[in-house]
Amino acid sequence: MIRHCHQKRDDKYLPLNPQMLTLHNVLVLVIRLHCVIYKFFLIYLTAGLDAFRTFLKSEFSEENAEFWLACEDFKETESAEKIASKAKMIYSEFIDAGAPKEVSEISHSSEYVSNIEEPTLTCFDEAQKLIYSLMAKDSFPRFLKSEIYKKLDRSTQSLYFKARMF
């Protein structure tokens, strides 16, 4: 019987001695470990993204993360009609001069956005790479030193130990 992540612990499935180390018990342990890791990283990644966005907001550069996330969502678009409308939305919200969430690093140069009139799923790739690079080299290292990150780190350590109790 393989149990799901949300089920309570039942010690009869734990290999307490080598004779109990069966394939079934190993699979159960692997599934449990996967569940703990999955829960932890799901919480950590969601909380981490929220914390990073809060940090960017405090530095008046949250539009960078929002643009990057919008591009990630855009890449998942399937219909040609939605590709065109989403591309226009991203352009008008982040890139166009005077856009409400103008990303200044890319809004003053057309070299980072290709063929917005007939957009493809890769039309924002260069701009997204630039913004990712800027966040990775500049914003993220500062975030790791911030009080926002330290608070997140303390809280996720606590969550990790709670998740291990599955």
Side-chain angles (χ1 to χ4, degrees):
M1 175 179 120
I2 296 178
R3 298 174 308 120
H4 297 285
C5 296
H6 65 278
Q7 291 179 313
K8 292 188 178 185
R9 183 182 198 147
D10 185 349
D11 288 335
K12 74 179 185 177
Y13 294 108
L14 293 177
L16 302 174
N17 61 52
Q19 290 82 20
M20 293 182 68
L21 194 58
T22 64
L23 178 60
H24 176 270
N25 288 340
V26 169
L27 288 174
V28 168
L29 286 174
V30 167
I31 290 169
R32 285 184 180 175
L33 180 60
H34 170 74
C35 290
V36 168
I37 292 169
Y38 176 76
K39 285 180 197 174
F40 175 70
F41 281 109
L42 183 63
I43 291 167
Y44 191 80
L45 291 175
T46 303
L49 180 58
D50 290 344
F52 185 54
R53 290 176 79 179
T54 299
F55 173 77
L56 290 174
K57 193 178 285 189
S58 74
E59 294 207 332
F60 305 101
S61 59
E62 67 187 295
E63 68 280 350
N64 291 344
E66 290 181 20
F67 171 74
W68 189 87
L69 290 168
C71 290
E72 286 297 295
D73 177 63
F74 176 73
K75 289 178 188 178
E76 301 296 319
T77 307
E78 294 181 7
S79 78
E81 189 176 283
K82 286 186 179 181
I83 289 172
S85 66
K86 280 186 174 184
K88 287 177 184 171
M89 185 278 305
I90 289 171
Y91 190 84
S92 65
E93 193 167 339
F94 298 102
I95 300 169
D96 203 11
K101 297 178 182 179
E102 185 177 353
V103 178
S104 58
E105 293 83 4
I106 56 176
S107 66
H108 303 296
S109 175
S110 61
E111 72 183 273
Y112 297 112
V113 179
S114 63
N115 198 9
I116 196 67
E117 298 305 317
E118 295 178 30
T120 65
L121 293 178
T122 61
C123 66
F124 297 111
D125 281 0
E126 291 304 311
Q128 187 184 22
K129 286 177 192 172
L130 174 67
I131 295 305
Y132 179 86
S133 176
L134 291 172
M135 288 191 301
K137 291 177 185 174
D138 184 43
S139 304
F140 197 70
R142 286 196 320 276
F143 168 64
L144 294 177
K145 295 175 185 172
S146 73
E147 195 55 43
I148 294 170
Y149 175 76
K150 291 174 186 172
K151 183 178 178 183
L152 170 70
D153 192 39
R154 286 189 299 271
S155 68
T156 53
Q157 284 177 13
S158 171
L159 285 172
Y160 173 72
F161 290 112
K162 287 178 185 174
R164 283 184 49 202
M165 300 303 225
F166 63 96

